Amino acid sequence: YQHWDIVSGMGVGYLEGCSTKYLQRWRKKNGKQDLYKSQHFLEKLIEMIECGAIPKNKARINRAILKSFYADAKIPYPESVIIDMIFTWKNASHLKLALKLLNEFIDEQECGPTTAYVNQE
């Protein structure tokens, strides 16, 4: 599976799709610039939910397909956790937690490892 298969096949919204695209590809494409783009789209998604423009997540997520996507795309554990949270959000609080983890992840890339993530593989 590729990112566009997940986004188009499961009805993932535009902002979720953009945020997760940049988070998925940052290591192979534009580095930290892509992490900041992911952060920007996630912040916009939260803003849209909080103002009522996006009332609920309409994606129909298939966990088995997501798991295959993470494996096929070789997405490391920290990124897959955040991507999963963005794809499956229930409310703005869920996305705020994803944003917090993304911010910690970005800080980790700039300052070195923290204990924010524990690889559970």
Side-chain angles (χ1 to χ4, degrees):
Y1 293 96
Q2 293 190 15
H3 187 265
W4 57 50
D5 297 322
I6 303 298
V7 172
S8 62
M10 294 190 199
V12 173
Y14 174 78
L15 295 170
E16 294 95 323
C18 289
S19 181
T20 55
K21 172 185 79 171
Y22 288 115
L23 184 52
Q24 177 209 342
R25 75 180 208 176
W26 80 275
R27 291 179 192 269
K28 297 175 187 167
K29 295 269 184 163
N30 298 317
K32 285 187 267 184
Q33 179 182 1
D34 278 346
L35 292 176
Y36 294 126
K37 287 180 182 180
S38 176
Q39 180 186 49
H40 179 70
F41 279 100
L42 185 51
E43 289 169 344
K44 184 63 175 177
L45 176 60
I46 292 167
E47 176 187 321
M48 298 289 287
I49 292 167
E50 288 182 333
C51 77
I54 300 174
K56 65 179 189 170
N57 186 351
K58 296 180 181 175
R60 298 167 311 282
I61 299 300
N62 180 315
R63 292 279 184 194
I65 291 174
L66 271 185
K67 189 173 181 179
S68 292
F69 165 64
Y70 299 144
D72 292 348
K74 296 179 176 69
I75 299 174
Y77 180 75
E79 290 99 313
S80 70
V81 169
I82 301 167
I83 290 169
D84 199 71
M85 293 174 79
I86 295 169
F87 279 151
T88 62
W89 67 270
K90 301 287 185 214
N91 56 48
S93 295
H94 292 147
L95 291 170
K96 287 178 182 178
L97 178 56
L99 181 59
K100 179 180 184 284
L101 293 176
L102 178 55
N103 289 337
E104 290 174 1
F105 184 73
I106 291 169
D107 289 346
E108 182 177 302
Q109 301 318 303
E110 294 172 351
C111 302
T114 67
T115 58
Y117 300 97
V118 177
N119 191 336
Q120 298 182 0
E121 297 183 83

